[in-house]
Amino acid sequence: MLARAISLVEAGTEGVLEALKNVPARRSFGPGAPRVIGVTGPPGAGKSTLVNQLVGQGRGQGLRVAVVAVDPSSPFTGGAILADRIRLEEHAVDEGVFVRSLSSRGHLGGLCRAAGQVVDLLDACGWDWVIVETVGVGQSELSVCEVADTVVVVLTPESGDTVQTMKAGLLEVADIFVVNKADRPGAGILVRELEEAAQMDPRRGHSAAVLEVSALHREGLEALLKSVLKHGDWCESLGRDNWEKRRAEGRLRTFLDLVSEGARASAATWLQQDGDSFRQSLVEGTMSPYQAAFRWMNRA
Ligand SMILES: Nc1nc2c(ncn2[C@@H]2O[C@H](COP(=O)(O)OP(=O)(O)OP(=O)(O)O)[C@@H](O)[C@H]2O)c(=O)[nH]1
Ligand SMILES: [Mg+2]
């Protein structure tokens, strides 16, 4: 049922609201609500490998773990999804693990919105951890922090210098920096640079942790688990009001997203089915898109 509901969200078709109208509002942080962990970073940084290990760590704590991989490249190659599936295969027969890749339905913005709605679904199904993997391209890593309680930014010694990272806005979103592929040269330098940069960030009540990890060789994972749990405790210590406020913003945003998606879908259906002459004038340019949109919005 969960998989089917996610497919509906992913497709964003007109029937989605009817099907999902009984999904409750996402719960506030705290007992019973899932901890949402966002994992982001440049392509190939080792996010999926790390997520796979993180799943193992969570399972080791007796937690039920769901993974949502948001993959903007998948509709073109399909390769990345396949690779993720293979990597997560070791958890495939584990009932305490749920894995799902979301493929793009056109544009990245829509994909990130879908991810938020999928997190709502997973919350309703009572998972303890929800891990959201997004590849850091442009705005997507910034959107992950809208749904995630804890944001893990994965970098590698090869992924460019710290200045680059700061330019990409990653410093502001990171709660935990993972310098992955620490089995390769240059990790120590990046760790030191990130530590310095993180300490200079004045807007937050805590500075981001910086960890050296080799996801492939399973090194540094215990420190990562500790750091994730610690950040969760810190979040909880901020108190309920803080989380209510964040959730309130999320609920408003989701409402507006759903309305705009719904309006778009129903306008598209109408154009196909009943709006023949309307469509014709639009196609021929005798009615401008502006006029058309104005008339559609103000239709009786
Ligand atoms: N040497 C080394 N290689 C690693 C490590 N972690 C991951 N890799 C390798 O890096 C490559 C990319 O790993 P993925 O986990 O697919 O990276 P990703 O960030 O999920 O990639 P995309 O989702 O395609 O952006 C794979 O060949 C991994 O085996 C590590 O700690 N050390
Ligand atoms: Mg991946």
Side-chain angles (χ1 to χ4, degrees):
M1 254 164 74
L2 178 58
R4 282 217 304 275
I6 292 176
S7 295
L8 276 174
V9 164
E10 194 175 24
T13 46
E14 223 181 325
V16 68
L17 292 182
E18 178 66 29
L20 301 186
K21 66 182 190 306
N22 292 326
V23 175
R26 210 176 130 197
R27 282 172 290 176
S28 288
F29 198 80
R35 178 151 307 162
V36 184
I37 303 162
V39 176
T40 191
K47 298 177 294 296
S48 298
T49 313
L50 188 81
V51 165
N52 193 23
Q53 306 290 17
L54 207 48
V55 169
Q57 296 286 321
R59 292 300 288 144
Q61 300 287 301
L63 302 172
R64 298 174 73 243
V65 185
V67 178
V68 189
V70 179
D71 196 331
S73 63
S74 56
F76 306 107
T77 63
I81 280 195
L82 195 62
D84 285 347
R85 287 259 162 81
I86 290 164
R87 226 165 271 131
L88 284 156
E89 216 164 58
E90 64 178 274
H91 301 295
V93 291
D94 184 346
E95 295 242 309
V97 177
F98 177 86
V99 180
R100 176 65 189 246
S101 290
L102 286 185
S103 57
S104 166
R105 60 170 197 255
H107 57 104
L108 205 52
L111 197 54
C112 293
R113 279 203 293 282
Q117 292 164 28
V118 169
V119 170
D120 287 345
L121 282 172
L122 292 167
D123 179 358
C125 295
W127 295 88
D128 299 311
W129 271 8
V130 175
I131 304 177
V132 183
E133 177 191 339
T134 57
V135 64
V137 284
Q139 290 301 304
S140 66
E141 69 273 80
L142 303 180
S143 314
V144 74
C145 65
E146 291 181 357
V147 293
D149 304 315
T150 301
V151 176
V152 179
V153 173
V154 184
L155 299 169
T156 62
E158 300 91 74
S159 60
D161 57 18
T162 315
V163 177
Q164 221 38 51
T165 308
M166 291 166 78
K167 265 199 203 143
L170 287 172
L171 193 62
E172 287 97 85
V173 302
D175 297 305
I176 299 167
F177 278 111
V178 164
V179 175
N180 191 36
K181 308 195 186 183
D183 49 288
R184 293 193 179 162
I189 299 168
L190 182 57
V191 166
R192 280 192 294 282
E193 283 179 357
L194 286 171
E195 273 170 351
E196 260 171 48
Q199 272 160 20
M200 288 187 313
D201 186 6
R203 278 154 296 108
R204 301 147 60 108
H206 75 113
S207 55
V210 184
L211 306 170
E212 245 180 270
V213 172
S214 172
L216 192 62
H217 302 292
R218 299 176 190 249
E219 276 158 26
L221 297 174
E222 270 166 36
L224 175 61
L225 174 67
K226 238 181 172 169
S227 201
V228 167
L229 296 175
K230 192 174 153 206
H231 185 260
D233 291 343
W234 179 79
C235 289
E236 256 179 284
S237 75
L238 293 178
R240 197 170 184 82
D241 284 356
N242 196 292
W243 289 97
E244 274 304 328
K245 202 170 135 236
R246 268 187 75 156
R247 293 291 183 263
E249 285 163 14
R251 285 169 200 147
L252 288 173
R253 197 176 47 241
T254 303
F255 163 73
L256 292 173
D257 287 346
L258 288 169
V259 167
S260 66
E261 279 174 29
R264 194 191 162 94
S266 75
T269 308
W270 181 79
L271 278 181
Q272 291 293 328
Q273 289 170 358
D274 305 309
D276 235 7
S277 63
F278 192 93
R279 185 173 189 280
Q280 197 60 26
S281 331
L282 196 50
V283 168
E284 286 165 1
T286 50
M287 180 169 55
S288 77
Y290 308 100
Q291 246 179 327
F294 183 80
R295 278 177 56 186
W296 167 258
M297 305 259 259
N298 293 289
R299 73 199 183 283

